[in-house]
Amino acid sequence: MTGIEWAWVIVWIALVLLLIVVEIFTLDFIFLMLAVGAAGGLVAALVGAPWWAAVIIAAAVSLLLLSLVRPRLLKILGRNADPHRTNIEGLIGMRGQVAVAFTSSAPGQVRLANGETWSARITADESFPDSPVDHTPPLGTGVIVTAIDGSTAVVRTTERTHS
């Protein structure tokens, strides 16, 4: 190998190390894929490929890894998914109990499983289609949040109640 070829080997080694250091701080797997691509360029330079071929190999390996390996790696690690629903999405489907009785003219209140108390209005219960919408469940009746309308929880009962 000539002096210029060794210079390219040193450039590739420095690039690999720099990209690995950047990856350590970002933890995004982008710079890791680029570092592996640069390692491909290093291998090409070590076997005597011209500098332009090493650059093409590094770019091809990087693009291949970024498009095929990184998405699967992120999926396996669960990086792009939020495992916990929060805010309004976290309340939908939550169980609770009637804390303040509903009346036909005013909403009641429910205490949810997370300890929060919400003003609530009752909706028709799909599991009991013949139950009226305006029924007034007694205190302690189990409910499930079906929607959030402003600052009011829309709930349905989990037990059959009679008005």
Side-chain angles (χ1 to χ4, degrees), residues 26-87:
T26 62
L27 299 175
D28 242 355
F29 296 117
I30 293 173
F31 292 99
L32 180 63
M33 302 301 139
L34 295 175
V36 174
L42 172 63
V43 169
L46 285 173
V47 297
W51 67 270
W52 55 268
V55 169
I56 291 173
I57 290 170
V61 170
S62 294
L63 288 174
L64 187 70
L65 292 173
L66 284 170
S67 62
L68 297 178
V69 175
R70 183 176 179 266
R72 290 182 182 161
L73 188 60
L74 290 176
K75 186 175 181 177
I76 289 169
L77 295 175
R79 281 279 187 91
N80 287 340
D82 185 12
H84 305 291
R85 295 184 314 167
T86 58
N87 300 328

Side-chain angles (χ1 to χ4, degrees), residues 53-146:
V55 169
I56 291 173
I57 290 170
V61 170
S62 294
L63 288 174
L64 187 70
L65 292 173
L66 284 170
S67 62
L68 297 178
V69 175
R70 183 176 179 266
R72 290 182 182 161
L73 188 60
L74 290 176
K75 186 175 181 177
I76 289 169
L77 295 175
R79 281 279 187 91
N80 287 340
D82 185 12
H84 305 291
R85 295 184 314 167
T86 58
N87 300 328
I88 291 174
E89 292 84 24
L91 296 175
I92 307 298
M94 186 175 287
R95 294 184 175 272
Q97 291 184 334
V98 175
V100 174
F102 293 81
T103 66
S104 57
S105 61
Q109 289 186 348
V110 294
R111 179 167 307 275
L112 300 178
N114 65 0
E116 294 179 1
T117 301
W118 279 70
S119 62
R121 72 173 186 265
I122 200 86
T123 187
D125 190 345
E126 293 83 17
S127 58
F128 304 113
D130 60 336
S131 72
V133 173
D134 62 348
H135 68 280
T136 55
L139 295 177
T141 301
V143 294
I144 295 178
V145 177
T146 58

